[in-house]
C-alpha cells in the first residue's frame, strides 16, 4: 500500500510526466491546487478510491485524454478548473460526486 496521503501544490506542475497511476489500495486523500498543471504529456490519470479532495486547477492545462475514478472513490466535489483546458472529450463521474464547480471542465 502506498503511504503518500497528499500531493502538494504544483508538485508535478510543468513536468514531463505521461501517466499517473495511483494504486487502488493507496492512502492518497488529497491532490492540492495545480498539482499537475501544465503537464502536457500527461494523457491518463487513474485516481484511487481513497481520494477525498482535489484542489482548484489540479489538472489544469494538462494533456489529459482520460481520467478514471476508481470504484468506491470518496471524492464528492470536482473543484473549479480541475480539468479545464485538457483534451478530455468524455468523463464518467462517480456516484460520490455531488458537486461540479464552475468551469471544472472548461474547454
Amino acid at each position: 500500500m502506498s503511504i503518500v496521503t497528499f500531493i502538494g501544490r504544483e508538485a508535478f506542475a510543468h513536468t514531463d510526466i505521461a501517466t499517473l497511476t495511483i494504486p487502488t489500495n493507496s492512502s492518497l486523500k488529497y491532490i492540492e491546487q495545480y498539482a499537475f498543471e501544465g503537464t502536457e504529456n500527461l494523457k491518463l490519470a487513474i485516481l484511487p478510491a481513497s481520494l477525498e479532495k482535489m484542489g482548484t486547477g489540479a489538472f489544469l492545462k494538462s494533456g489529459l485524454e482520460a481520467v478514471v475514478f476508481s470504484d468506491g472513490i470518496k471524492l464528492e466535489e470536482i473543484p473549479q478548473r480541475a480539468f479545464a483546458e485538457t483534451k478530455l472529450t468524455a468523463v464518467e463521474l462517480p456516484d460520490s460526486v455531488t458537486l461540479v464547480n464552475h468551469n471544472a471542465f472548461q474547454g
Side-chain angles (χ1 to χ4, degrees), residues 1 4 8 19 24 29-30 40 42 48 64-65 74 76 84 90-91 93 96 99 103 105:
M1 178 194 298
V4 173
T19 302
T24 55
K29 298 206 179 293
Y30 184 36
E40 295 176 359
L42 182 61
L64 273 184
E65 295 174 355
K74 297 176 175 127
E76 295 179 357
V91 175
L93 294 175
S96 62
L99 175 62
N103 293 332
F105 295 93

Side-chain angles (χ1 to χ4, degrees), residues 38-56:
T39 50
E40 295 176 359
N41 294 325
L42 182 61
K43 305 297 181 203
L44 171 66
I46 301 173
L47 304 178
S50 60
L51 187 65
E52 296 175 0
K53 186 174 180 184
M54 281 194 309
T56 299

